[in-house]
Amino acid sequence: MNYRHIFHAGNPADVMKHAMLALILDHLRAKPTPFCVLDTHAGIGRYDLTSEAARKTGESDEGIGRLFGHPLPHPALAPYLDAVQALNPDGALRWYPGSPRIARAALRPQDRLVLVELHPDDAVSLKAEFAGDRSVAVHQSDAYTALKAHLPPKEKRGLVLIDPPFEQPDEFARMAEGLAQAHRRWSTGIFALWYPIKERAAVWRFQDAVEKTGIPKVLIAELTWHPEDTHLRLNGSGLLIVNPPWKLDETLKEMLPALHDALPSTGGGAAVSWLTPEAP
């Protein structure tokens, strides 16, 4: 899956991931105390869906294009679609917010956003996107190095989003190891790890590795839009969430099926389950 994200911005995987991200951030906003968001694979912040690269694949047509300007499939999708609307106030879908823009839309004056991007060109674009924004810090760095450098945050509340492009064959193993190390530094933080669903055995190995860390309170949420009869395509995506907000599982059990019904599919569905429950 070696790619630049502009080719895939706004596709069904983005919609699922960012809808859940916005929902978690909405929960964090419910308390007045400040929070911090660390995004370890931040990209460029926003994506032009009318660009030649985006139109080459047209993947956003099967994702955000099925939601923007249409009736809301479920109320829990509102924070996400509000963030998309904020970048497209004229009602024409051109700009798609990456996770940095989704997170920035949720920040209050007391909150903070730390963005990490390794690709030098993307890091430059990201710094330009948030130039002059005192609530946002941008660092060109390796994601897993950043977990050590920026955790725990001074706010003691917040979210870490780990969303790799899966260019490396050992990315699943690196994620599990990085999560274990980060959780030791900040056991009370919310961690959200995105993963592609292509080969189910690879997903099982990743989930087993996380379970073996002994980290409690791990929720799994998945959305698939193709039958899992081949690993030659992206059949769906998942989010592994450590310390999910209260009752997030119940909300997702309603929201994700509604999202599946709103997006084109040849099968699949939604699934929400606990990998490890809360420690007694």
Side-chain angles (χ1 to χ4, degrees):
M1 294 182 66
N2 188 343
Y3 61 79
R4 301 301 297 280
H5 194 67
I6 182 60
F7 292 103
H8 310 281
N11 71 2
D14 260 6
V15 169
M16 180 262 196
K17 170 178 56 186
H18 291 148
M20 292 176 62
L21 170 64
L23 192 56
I24 293 170
L25 291 166
D26 203 47
H27 279 274
L28 284 169
R29 286 168 52 90
K31 293 183 179 180
T33 52
F35 64 83
C36 176
V37 178
L38 171 60
D39 186 342
T40 64
H41 298 78
I44 63 173
R46 73 167 78 193
Y47 300 88
D48 185 354
L49 298 181
T50 67
S51 67
E52 181 180 353
R55 296 317 309 157
K56 184 176 182 179
T57 61
E59 290 188 17
S60 64
D61 295 343
E62 304 300 296
I64 186 59
R66 298 298 182 105
L67 300 179
F68 189 82
H70 296 275
L72 196 65
H74 190 275
L77 289 165
Y80 163 63
L81 289 172
D82 286 348
V84 179
Q85 180 66 50
L87 286 188
N88 301 278
D90 62 356
L93 181 60
R94 175 181 178 181
W95 298 105
Y96 185 78
S99 51
R101 273 291 163 200
I102 298 285
R104 184 63 184 92
L107 294 192
R108 304 159 302 179
Q110 67 268 39
D111 304 323
R112 189 166 59 99
L113 176 59
V114 180
L115 302 174
V116 177
E117 174 54 48
L118 181 60
H119 193 286
D121 293 341
D122 288 357
V124 169
S125 298
L126 191 63
K127 288 179 180 179
E129 176 73 15
F130 292 100
D133 192 332
R134 299 182 64 182
S135 297
V136 182
V138 178
H139 303 273
Q140 184 187 350
S141 172
D142 172 74
Y144 300 104
T145 301
L147 291 173
K148 300 176 184 178
H150 298 288
L151 297 181
K154 62 184 180 180
E155 292 83 359
K156 306 301 182 185
R157 293 182 64 231
L159 165 69
V160 177
L161 176 64
I162 303 175
D163 175 24
F166 280 81
E167 296 175 338
Q168 304 299 325
D170 64 342
E171 198 68 72
F172 273 122
R174 296 181 75 203
M175 286 176 67
E177 181 180 355
L179 172 62
Q181 294 177 354
H183 187 266
R184 285 194 291 268
R185 299 177 69 87
W186 190 32
S187 62
T188 59
I190 301 171
F191 294 85
L193 287 71
W194 179 85
Y195 57 88
I197 300 175
K198 297 183 72 177
E199 182 185 6
R200 177 55 69 174
V203 174
W204 284 336
R205 288 192 294 270
F206 166 61
Q207 293 174 350
D208 184 59
V210 172
E211 187 173 11
K212 287 179 177 177
T213 65
I215 296 173
K217 204 174 181 184
V218 180
L219 184 68
I220 298 289
E222 294 185 345
L223 187 71
T224 54
W225 42 87
H226 294 306
E228 295 183 49
D229 53 7
T230 176
H231 64 273
L232 300 179
R233 67 186 175 205
L234 184 65
N235 295 313
S237 69
L239 208 65
L240 183 149
I241 309 168
V242 177
N243 296 323
W246 188 54
K247 291 190 175 182
L248 179 66
D249 58 331
E250 297 178 15
T251 301
L252 295 180
K253 286 177 181 178
E254 296 181 356
M255 185 190 85
L256 289 179
L259 180 58
H260 181 270
D261 291 345
L263 299 177
S265 68
T266 59
V272 180
S273 63
W274 288 94
L275 180 67
T276 56
E278 189 170 7

